[in-house]
Amino acid sequence: MALKLHTIICSTRPGRVGPAVATWFHDFANSQGQFESSLVDLADFNLPVYDEPRHPRMQQYEHEHTKAWSRSVAAADAYAFVVPEYNFCPSPAFVNALDYVYSEWNYKPCGFVSYGGVSGGLRSAQLSKQLVTTLKMMPMVEGVMVQMPWEQIDESKTFNASEHHESSGKAMLEEMAKWAQALKVMR
């Protein structure tokens, strides 16, 4: 049975380029054979600022948006977070989504496809790695960095990856598959 990867679009703002980058990575991940990738858009869950009365560790969710998000997160063996960089940080929507659930994230690997200006979102990815470790996830050292993605998106809103994006993505997916298989035992 194939490992399940969720490629998650971590920006919710209008005009975002995340869907184009995430669609490329989702298709790329499926073509590599280690994972069955599903494309997940945070915007589809419409999560307000955390509004559950109980700690997420208890998994006693009251709101339908939380229950839907919990089911989505729980269904994956690994995650590829497609993260923008906002003021050197991950998007508030992503941080909020991480905080919504706890046990569903535990003992799973994650990788980062970061994007932004000249830094390619690396600062956002680095801060995100610290965040995910508190949820008992294993962030990959390997990652995909996309500088100025808007310059690689054509008129049909398709992201045209370069060779270095693909080689970085392949390395990240190979490591994630090893970790996902190993961590399955802990779950």
Side-chain angles (χ1 to χ4, degrees), residues 6 20 27 32 44 51 55 91 106 112 127 134 137 163 169-170 176:
H6 280 190
D27 292 341
Q32 297 303 298
D44 291 342
D51 66 347
H55 193 283
S91 72
N106 293 176
F112 292 89
L127 283 174
T134 65
M137 279 190 269
E163 187 279 326
K170 184 175 191 233
M176 284 176 61

Side-chain angles (χ1 to χ4, degrees), residues 56-159:
R57 189 174 285 169
M58 297 174 76
Q59 293 183 296
Q60 295 175 356
Y61 308 126
E62 291 186 8
H63 304 293
E64 284 308 312
H65 54 261
T66 310
K67 292 173 185 176
W69 180 236
S70 171
R71 285 189 300 273
S72 177
V73 173
D77 296 304
Y79 312 97
F81 296 119
V82 181
V83 294
E85 184 171 291
Y86 295 172
N87 300 318
F88 296 6
C89 296
S91 72
F94 175 50
V95 175
N96 188 51
L98 287 174
D99 290 342
Y100 253 90
V101 297
Y102 177 77
S103 299
E104 296 87 339
W105 297 118
N106 293 176
Y107 308 113
K108 296 177 185 178
C110 61
F112 292 89
V113 179
S114 63
Y115 62 93
V118 172
S119 77
L122 285 177
R123 296 169 293 213
S124 171
Q126 198 59 32
L127 283 174
S128 297
K129 287 177 182 182
Q130 291 178 325
L131 290 171
V132 300
T133 61
T134 65
L135 297 166
K136 297 184 182 178
M137 279 190 269
M138 180 62 195
M140 299 297 96
V141 171
E142 296 77 11
V144 181
M145 183 262 294
V146 181
Q147 294 174 301
M148 295 173 239
W150 47 87
E151 294 178 358
Q152 294 162 287
I153 297 174
D154 63 23
E155 58 281 342
S156 66
K157 298 191 184 217
T158 300
F159 174 73

